[in-house]
Amino acid sequence: MFDRPQVGNDCVIVNVDIPGESKHKGEFSELVRSTGANIIGAVDTKVSRPHPRFFFGSGKAEEIAEEVAALKAELVIVDHSLSPSQERNLEALVKCRVLDRSGLILDIFAQRAQSFEGKLQVELAQLAHLSTRLVRGWTHLERQKGGIGLRGPGETQLETDRRLIGGRIKQITKQIDKVDSRREQGRRNRKKNELPTVSLVGYTNAGKSTLFNRLTDSGVYSADQLFATLDPTIRRLDLGSGEHALIVDTVGFISNLPHELIDSFKSTLQETREATVLLHVIDASDPARYERREQVEDVLSQIGADVPQILVFNKVDALNAQERDDLLDAMLGEHSVAVSAQSGEGIDQLLARVADFVRPRRRCGWLTLQPQNARERAMLYDHDAVRHERIGETGEYILQLEIAEQDWQRFIKRTGITAELVNYPH
């Protein structure tokens, strides 16, 4: 039986073209290089219908094996998800380790995760992915048991590995649940304090972290690479005129994002689902920007993030005059703004647009209070809600109000006054 090698960076990549499936030219090579792998060869193939044994036809599989042998490659990376049996069959043929697109992205996430929570989420996703691809290699997880007979009669190495992985998954899940409860407490506190939340989303390498740093004057790591940052970061956002919000920088999305990652990062993505508004950052210099937008929308739909969006076309400083004009024409009628996170162009317009979205809804009108309601009148003054006041013929207070919706609802709850604001003539 072929034993999987665990090391080796010299790789042959297999570019898979599937009719009707959008692919960003050069993205797969960039993903591979992000792991530190050295691309020494490439094979292109077109697949109209997946082959059950190798995913592609046996002739193409033989071509890959010949390329691996000629170049002495140590790794084959395929730009598509493979079933466990397809991966094992291909490994047996090419005599080296095979990694599919999902495994590649998981490896990048494992390298990028910095926080305790991020590392747990990535490990959980890796274990879920690898649990169906067991071929030895997991005995380092085993611990000495204290009792006789715990291993079970006739238990194979594969069964032992599965048991060990299952135990580790349960352990990680409990730890993530504890982190989730702390995050949920933070969200409840923000809701209680009525702090609006702005969440940055977008295709990976669209410039989200650079924009985050520009908006908040933070030092979040940013680089011209895929998945430069993974761990969510929350900062205070100054919107001007004394208004503030919280802004969250989240993980970048990518086409065909592994479901294991979406499941494992559910607590991180919860910040996106519960945001007041999403800033959907789009690389304006990317020729495939509208395809990238659709792919991000697909992921947002998967996680149930039905939240208002502002489209932020970033990197406009990389466009020529004609490209700028075309972009501005395309933006007409959209909730969108063109910016350069690098130079600061358009940032003031973006902040003004965000303020319009997160500014609390206000009630305006006239309210009549009886003379015995002087305490309630004072409460409205404390909220700075009174714009004009006059005294009626029988001594009642006739107040012109402009008050935030949440303050109005709190006033009603505390005072029991249920009168609606009306539009009296001046």
Side-chain angles (χ1 to χ4, degrees):
M1 182 177 177
F2 170 67
D3 288 331
R4 306 177 84 186
Q6 300 300 311
V7 295
N9 290 328
D10 291 341
C11 72
V12 169
I13 64 173
V14 181
N15 297 301
V16 181
D17 180 18
I18 298 179
E21 187 174 287
S22 173
K23 293 261 181 151
H24 186 193
K25 186 178 180 181
E27 180 185 85
F28 181 57
S29 298
E30 193 175 347
L31 274 172
V32 173
R33 292 190 183 94
S34 295
T35 65
N38 177 34
I39 300 175
I40 60 174
V43 176
D44 298 330
T45 181
K46 188 172 183 178
V47 178
S48 56
R49 186 176 61 184
H51 191 282
R53 188 177 181 194
F54 297 117
F55 182 75
F56 21 74
S58 56
K60 184 59 68 174
E62 291 287 351
E63 180 184 338
I64 296 169
E66 291 172 3
E67 184 79 359
V68 168
L71 298 175
K72 294 183 172 56
E74 303 161 301
L75 179 65
V76 171
I77 307 179
V78 182
D79 188 16
H80 202 279
S81 294
L82 302 178
S83 70
S85 62
Q86 289 168 343
E87 192 173 287
R88 288 194 292 269
N89 291 337
L90 192 57
E91 283 185 340
L93 178 66
V94 301
K95 297 295 187 293
C96 72
R97 187 172 177 82
V98 172
L99 194 65
D100 67 355
R101 181 182 176 89
S102 295
L104 176 68
I105 295 175
L106 287 168
D107 187 82
I108 296 171
F109 271 56
Q111 292 183 36
R112 301 282 194 268
Q114 297 295 323
S115 70
F116 175 70
E117 178 188 8
K119 291 176 180 178
L120 285 177
Q121 290 170 327
V122 171
E123 185 180 355
L124 180 61
Q126 286 181 314
L127 290 174
H129 179 74
L130 293 174
S131 60
T132 59
R133 290 164 164 78
L134 286 176
V135 185
R136 302 188 179 93
W138 285 96
T139 52
H140 64 280
L141 292 176
E142 190 170 11
R143 298 291 180 268
Q144 186 69 35
K145 298 294 183 181
I148 297 174
L150 289 178
R151 185 164 182 246
E155 185 176 44
T156 66
Q157 178 68 60
L158 193 61
E159 290 167 340
T160 302
D161 291 344
R162 284 180 177 150
R163 174 170 53 79
L164 293 169
I165 291 178
R168 179 60 179 158
I169 287 175
K170 288 180 181 179
Q171 183 182 8
I172 294 174
T173 301
K174 288 181 180 179
Q175 291 176 297
I176 289 179
D177 286 343
K178 291 180 180 178
V179 176
D180 287 351
S181 64
R182 290 196 293 269
R183 278 193 172 276
E184 183 59 33
Q185 181 62 46
R187 282 192 287 267
R188 284 198 297 266
N189 289 338
R190 293 198 294 272
K191 284 184 178 180
K192 184 178 179 180
N193 295 326
E194 296 166 350
L195 279 172
T197 303
V198 180
S199 183
L200 285 168
V201 299
Y203 207 79
T204 183
N205 207 26
K208 293 187 294 78
S209 295
T210 304
L211 180 61
F212 183 85
N213 289 336
R214 171 68 65 173
L215 292 172
T216 62
D217 195 24
S218 299
V220 172
Y221 176 73
S222 62
D224 185 18
Q225 60 181 212
L226 302 179
F227 303 114
T229 54
L230 287 186
D231 301 310
T233 307
I234 302 177
R235 293 288 186 273
R236 184 182 177 95
L237 177 63
D238 184 2
L239 299 173
S241 303
E243 295 178 298
H244 296 90
L246 294 178
I247 185 167
V248 185
D249 184 20
T250 60
V251 62
F253 297 153
I254 197 169
S255 60
N256 301 318
L257 193 67
H259 289 289
E260 296 94 341
L261 278 175
I262 294 177
D263 292 340
S264 298
F265 278 75
K266 62 182 184 299
S267 63
T268 299
L269 297 173
Q270 185 75 11
E271 301 288 354
T272 299
R273 286 195 293 268
E274 298 193 2
T276 308
V277 63
L278 302 181
L279 298 189
H280 183 165
V281 183
I282 300 170
D283 182 353
S285 65
D286 184 354
R289 58 180 177 266
Y290 297 113
E291 296 172 15
R292 302 288 160 261
R293 174 184 174 183
E294 291 178 3
Q295 288 159 351
V296 172
E297 298 282 3
D298 287 343
V299 177
L300 291 174
S301 177
Q302 288 181 50
I303 65 175
D306 185 16
V307 179
Q309 291 186 28
I310 299 173
L311 301 180
V312 183
F313 288 91
N314 189 26
K315 305 184 184 181
V316 294
D317 52 327
L319 304 179
N320 59 39
Q322 183 59 52
E323 290 171 334
R324 277 179 178 248
D325 291 341
D326 292 343
L327 176 64
L328 294 174
D329 288 342
M331 286 168 51
L332 292 176
E334 297 260 29
H335 291 298
S336 57
V337 61
V339 306
S340 169
Q342 198 71 42
S343 68
E345 177 185 350
I347 296 299
D348 289 341
Q349 294 93 316
L350 174 59
L351 288 172
R353 190 65 60 87
V354 171
D356 289 340
F357 264 88
V358 304
R359 187 172 289 123
R361 191 166 74 88
R362 304 186 72 82
R363 285 182 178 254
C364 298
W366 293 81
L367 176 69
T368 300
L369 295 177
Q370 298 305 314
Q372 60 268 29
N373 295 127
R375 178 173 171 273
E376 288 77 7
R377 169 179 171 270
M379 289 173 59
L380 292 170
Y381 270 99
D382 288 341
H383 281 297
D384 194 26
V386 181
R387 297 293 172 264
H388 182 73
E389 178 183 18
R390 68 172 186 260
I391 304 299
E393 295 178 356
T394 59
E396 67 273 22
Y397 305 110
I398 303 175
L399 307 171
Q400 184 185 25
L401 303 180
E402 181 181 345
I403 185 170
E405 177 67 26
Q406 63 265 28
D407 289 338
W408 175 249
Q409 295 301 329
R410 190 182 295 115
F411 174 79
I412 290 173
K413 185 176 181 180
R414 291 181 62 183
T415 64
I417 293 176
T418 58
E420 290 293 328
L421 300 183
V422 296
N423 292 319
Y424 285 154
H426 289 278

